[in-house]
Amino acid sequence: PMIAYHTAALYTAVHRALTADLPELLRLAADALATVPAPPDLAGWSELTREELFRLAPVCGSLVVLLFGLPACVLCEPRIGRTGEYWLTRVALLRGIGLLYVFAFASSAMQGRALFGARGLFAPATGSSGPTPALDLLAAAGVGSADARVELASLCGLLLSLLLAFGGPRFALWAPLPASLWLLHLSLVNNASRLLPAHSWEWAASELGFLAIFLAPEWPPSTLYPRLLPPPSAVLLLFRWHLFRLLLGAGLSRLADHSPSCWRRLDCAAAHHETQPMPTPLAWLLHGMPARWRAAEAAVSLAALILAPFAALLPSRAARLATFWIEAGVQVGSMASGNVGFANWAALVPALALLDDAALAPFF
């Protein structure tokens, strides 16, 4: 019965994606393109305002990547997974995703009952909106309390994520471990769907965990560098694509019509450091910097979120390394000046796919 239930749930999800979600995404993309302030002739480009140029930047960048970047990735770098090139990258990605899971499951174990337990602030009224296979399995095993099932799943996930982050090769490079973690995390995220609809970081962590399943070998190796099981090139490209979508989406959300206009004026940093979650002493120092400094800070943040991600898809190693260090600097700076949970880590971990063994060797 449980297999039939999850098969039906999977079919329903795929059917909804093809018949509702995909047409809606295409409609939204068409509506967005219809509002692009592209001038009808070349002379009109000189009359564009700074706000209009900001709105044109992602569209122009997307065209460049689609016309030149993606074909170059296929033609110029067909050996991305060759022996000895991305072994360390795979280990770093799996360890990093293990740390992401540690943060997620530890948070759920400590706060789950109060937030989305039976008597929590966001208690599910009619059940979750998506499949919760781990919680269903615990219910079938006789764990009667919903709160107990959430906490037991969180603690199991915390233990397994510690094995992925710090365990030996038989744990870190064995596909069933990230698969189990993904099912546990998916169950908790869907169980808390009333709390998380506007927070993309939990869903981003779930997507990264799903990709990690295909990054790890299906057979437990005795070493971190099994020569007969090289890192899959397609999965590494999907990690880069995830990073591109995550950063570009965060950047475009700051320039949307409903977003504060201060981002287009480059003066949002004036209020950001005093209104962000748990500002640090560094935030106090940055808040007191001159207006030109804060404008430069906003400009660098927008460039790192909107322009730099396009370099992550290019077939140039130098472009990828530069993108990684730009994004790492922005994320570390954000962590040093505030606290937004593991959101910064969710952006930093997939950026590891931009590095190869030569760049990671000094850290191993």
Side-chain angles (χ1 to χ4, degrees):
M2 186 174 296
I3 295 177
Y5 166 77
H6 291 303
T7 302
L10 178 62
Y11 174 81
T12 302
V14 173
H15 182 270
R16 182 177 59 189
L18 294 177
T19 60
D21 296 341
L22 182 58
E24 178 68 10
L25 288 174
L26 294 176
R27 184 189 66 79
L28 292 174
D31 293 343
L33 288 175
T35 61
V36 170
D41 50 45
L42 294 178
W45 284 88
S46 61
E47 302 175 359
L48 293 177
T49 63
R50 183 167 61 179
E51 290 78 6
E52 290 173 334
L53 288 174
F54 272 133
R55 294 174 61 186
L56 273 173
V59 177
C60 296
S62 299
L63 291 176
V64 170
V65 170
L66 289 175
L67 295 177
F68 304 104
L70 294 182
C73 286
V74 176
L75 297 175
C76 301
E77 196 177 22
R79 299 179 297 170
I80 187 173
R82 66 178 180 236
T83 301
E85 189 175 356
Y86 288 93
W87 303 99
L88 298 179
T89 306
R90 173 166 63 182
V91 174
L93 281 170
L94 290 173
R95 299 295 197 190
I97 292 171
L99 286 176
L100 270 184
Y101 276 138
V102 168
F103 299 146
F105 286 118
S107 176
S108 176
M110 293 185 292
Q111 306 178 66
R113 183 185 291 264
L115 289 176
F116 44 83
R119 301 177 62 184
L121 295 175
F122 298 89
T126 57
S128 63
S129 61
T132 56
L135 300 181
D136 295 343
L137 182 61
L138 291 176
V143 182
S145 169
D147 291 353
R149 291 196 292 268
V150 169
E151 291 182 347
L152 183 58
S154 301
L155 292 175
C156 290
L158 179 59
L159 175 61
L160 293 178
S161 60
L162 288 171
L163 290 176
L164 181 60
F166 304 105
R170 293 187 183 276
F171 296 108
L173 291 185
W174 190 29
L177 179 57
S180 302
L181 284 167
W182 179 73
L183 289 174
L184 286 166
H185 186 257
L186 179 70
S187 300
L188 295 175
V189 169
N190 281 331
N191 186 65
S193 56
R194 291 186 62 197
L195 175 63
L196 301 173
H199 299 273
S200 62
W201 302 108
E202 291 284 354
W203 305 106
S206 183
E207 182 178 340
L208 287 174
F210 183 75
L211 292 177
I213 300 173
F214 305 96
L215 187 63
E218 63 277 4
W219 188 261
S222 58
T223 174
L224 290 174
Y225 319 107
R227 294 300 173 181
L228 298 179
L229 300 170
S233 59
V235 179
L236 291 174
L237 289 175
L238 286 175
F239 271 101
R240 296 175 186 174
W241 178 245
H242 171 91
L243 176 69
F244 170 81
R245 293 186 294 108
L246 184 69
L247 296 177
L248 186 62
L252 293 181
S253 67
R254 301 183 180 187
L255 300 180
D257 293 336
H258 62 275
S259 301
S261 60
C262 61
W263 282 110
R264 291 183 287 275
R265 298 193 308 266
L266 301 180
D267 59 1
C268 256
H272 169 71
H273 292 298
E274 65 180 5
T275 58
Q276 66 174 327
M278 300 176 64
T280 65
L282 179 60
W284 176 84
L285 178 64
L286 293 174
H287 179 69
M289 297 297 287
R292 289 185 177 180
W293 173 278
R294 295 197 297 266
E297 186 180 352
V300 169
S301 176
L302 288 175
L305 293 175
I306 296 178
L307 300 180
F310 290 99
L313 301 180
L314 297 178
S316 168
R317 180 178 183 269
R320 292 196 301 269
L321 293 180
T323 302
F324 172 81
W325 289 113
I326 290 173
E327 301 302 340
V330 170
Q331 300 302 328
V332 171
S334 177
M335 286 187 282
S337 61
N339 178 20
V340 289
F342 66 98
N344 298 116
W345 292 102
L348 189 57
V349 168
L352 294 172
L354 302 175
L355 304 178
D356 56 14
D357 285 0
L360 286 170
F363 303 97
F364 280 80

